[in-house]
Amino acid sequence: MTHCISEPDLLKEAAEWLLPTLSSFRQEFPAHTNPSQACRVRWNALLCQADLVALTWPREYGGRARPTADLIAFHELCASHGAPQPINSIAHSILAPTLLQFGTDAQKARFLPGIRDGSEIWCQGYSEPGSGSDLASVRTRGTQTPAGWVVKGHKIWTTQAHLARWCFALVRTDPDSTGHRGLSFMLIDMQAPGVRVSPIRQLTGEADYNEVFFENVPVTAENIVGEVGQGWRIAMAAAEYERGIYFLPRVVQLEHEFERAEALFDRAVLETNEAHSYAHRLQEARDRCQVIRWRVEQVVSRVAAGSTPGIDGAILKLLWSETRQMVVELQLELLGERAVLGPEAEGEYAADASTVREFLWSRAETIVAGTSEIQRNIIAERLLGLPKDKSTDGN
């Protein structure tokens, strides 16, 4: 993969830190534990201690003022060595760039340090019951008071809400508005009175997702990012970061998973017809991985040039999520009887159990960060110029 030229000293420093740190880390957290909460919390702390979270931030906010190409290269370096996703990656890759672009000086001074040092975990409050990926139908309300706002509503599928100190959320602050209008981008204290978090048990047995209830939660006026009623524009910019930079490490992970599927195929004892079928499916997955590589180049070019991923982010997210489901399903089938052990098997079967876990988790990946249907609508409207889908037009 061709990368933008990056300043070599940072990558050399990062590699010198990463390899021994990850080797020591693996003594406590083997690779198959990467998705676990404890593993991701600890890795987040190590990144923060090494000052490797705020690479592109301005120096006045504790950043290292490095070019975006360095950030991209560092993400791929970590992913190529199988490092876990840090628990606060939503804040690193989505909220921090959003605050740097749209936040006030006071908001940057208040919230960026907690992201940089790892002391404050964030969650994203977008989806609501009955709304899914249709953010235009947000019903959580913000009512203005002399002290700021009072928020009442219900969010769902909120990742890490049980750990989060703060939540960035879309809230309807104009009671007469519909659709995309009248929404505001709020920063809500998860320890404020009136916040209630209820875990959602997943197929994997984990509970990373949550329901969040806001029952007359106070929010100060200073905790609205941008102008009141302009939340949609800010949320869309944040979504582009989510579908772009946030997914880059996952593309490298997908390539490693495809290599494992090939290795399982090479070891499998199959009938001739079965072997031909699997070979055909692997070739399709290989071709899709190559297309994803090309799309990553487009995202890297746009981000390194100072732009957001744009439509390429939607294309990448769509291709990646559906291809990953294909690849992990191939792995699961080729595991044979070991696949029935379930996602919590230990000992000599721990690595196989992690494949089962990834298969179950991958079912959600065509839903999170915008469903495949939403991505197809975005591509159809913005790239192909097709008419808007009336069923999703809330204006």
Side-chain angles (χ1 to χ4, degrees), residues 6 12 50 69 80 84 97 106 130 171 179 184-185 200 213 312 326 345-346 355 360 387 394:
S6 178
K12 181 174 182 292
S80 66
V171 176
S184 296
F185 194 95
I200 300 172
F213 300 88
D312 290 311
M326 176 189 301
E346 298 178 349
T355 298
L360 295 172

Side-chain angles (χ1 to χ4, degrees), residues 30-36 40 84-85 202-206 208 250 253-254 256-257 260 320-321 323-332 335 339 342-344 350-366:
H32 67 264
T33 66
N34 270 7
S36 73
R40 297 181 63 209
Q85 282 287 301
Q202 297 146 218
L203 285 173
T204 60
E206 301 156 331
D208 297 304
R250 290 164 171 77
Q253 177 188 355
L254 173 62
H256 290 173
E257 289 170 336
R260 181 158 192 260
W320 170 83
S321 59
T323 302
R324 184 162 192 261
Q325 287 183 349
M326 176 189 301
V327 169
V328 181
E329 186 171 332
L330 278 166
Q331 286 187 9
L332 195 73
L335 277 176
E344 297 178 352
D352 296 331
S354 71
T355 298
V356 178
R357 186 264 178 201
E358 294 304 323
F359 168 78
L360 295 172
W361 179 262
S362 73
R363 300 298 96 185
E365 287 171 337
T366 50

Side-chain angles (χ1 to χ4, degrees), residues 1 287 289-299:
M1 184 174 178
D287 292 342
C289 286
Q290 181 61 65
V291 172
I292 291 169
R293 273 258 186 197
W294 292 331
R295 282 296 169 187
V296 167
E297 290 292 344
Q298 295 295 318
V299 170

